[in-house]
Every structure is written in structure tokens, then in C-alpha cells.
Amino acid sequence: MPVTIEGEEYYTNSEVSDELKVSRQTLWRWREKGSIPAGLRYRTRQVLFKADEVEAIRQFANRLVPIELGSGSVRQLGLFGRGSRQQEES
């Protein structure tokens, strides 16, 4: 349930993490990296986000990023028993 301060609704860190199904620690890391809005500190030291910030976080959390194939992919494929075969074919 959002907190209303001076007529504007704010959402807590816990509410955002629950809604997006990510941990609060993940939100914290994203904030530290600057990937999502930092939010605002409320008097109880609680982090609050405006509705538009929550939407920006939602978009970041649900983004699709292409997988970059390269030398690291061979190493990763090795976990599935395919890396060595692919290296031999190269």
C-alpha cells in the first residue's frame, strides 16, 4: 500500500521488490550501479519511489538483452559438454 505524502504516492523498497519479484538486495545493487532511480529517503530511513520511478524500475527489471557470443561462450558451453567439441571444429 503506497505511502501518501503531500498528496503524492510513494512506494517502499519492499513493495517494489515484491511486485517485481526481485530481492531488496537486487534493487539496492541496481541503485548503486545507477541502473535505476535512486528513490528518496523518508524520515524513517526508508527508501521510497514515485510511481514513474517504479515504472522505470519495472522496465529495467523486465528488459531483454541480447546474448553476446564470443570466446566466453565457448567456456560456458563447456559446462554442458559441448565446449570442447566446438573448439575442435574451429
Side-chain angles (χ1 to χ4, degrees), residues 35-51:
S35 301
I36 64 171
L40 300 165
R41 180 80 56 197
Y42 190 47
R43 64 181 171 189
T44 59
R45 298 187 43 88
Q46 191 172 35
V47 176
L48 299 177
F49 298 98
K50 295 179 183 179

Side-chain angles (χ1 to χ4, degrees), residues 67-87 89-90:
I67 298 171
E68 294 183 27
L69 297 177
S71 60
S73 65
V74 172
R75 192 172 45 241
Q76 187 176 17
L77 289 173
L79 295 173
F80 301 102
R82 297 184 63 201
S84 59
R85 187 177 312 133
Q86 190 170 25
Q87 285 176 331
E89 293 173 3
S90 300

Side-chain angles (χ1 to χ4, degrees), residues 23-62:
S23 70
R24 291 183 329 182
Q25 291 81 4
T26 295
L27 285 180
W28 182 82
R29 278 194 308 273
W30 290 347
R31 287 175 55 226
E32 287 292 310
K33 286 183 177 180
S35 301
I36 64 171
L40 300 165
R41 180 80 56 197
Y42 190 47
R43 64 181 171 189
T44 59
R45 298 187 43 88
Q46 191 172 35
V47 176
L48 299 177
F49 298 98
K50 295 179 183 179
D52 61 330
E53 293 175 320
V54 174
E55 184 55 34
I57 297 167
R58 179 181 287 106
Q59 289 178 9
F60 181 79
N62 295 321

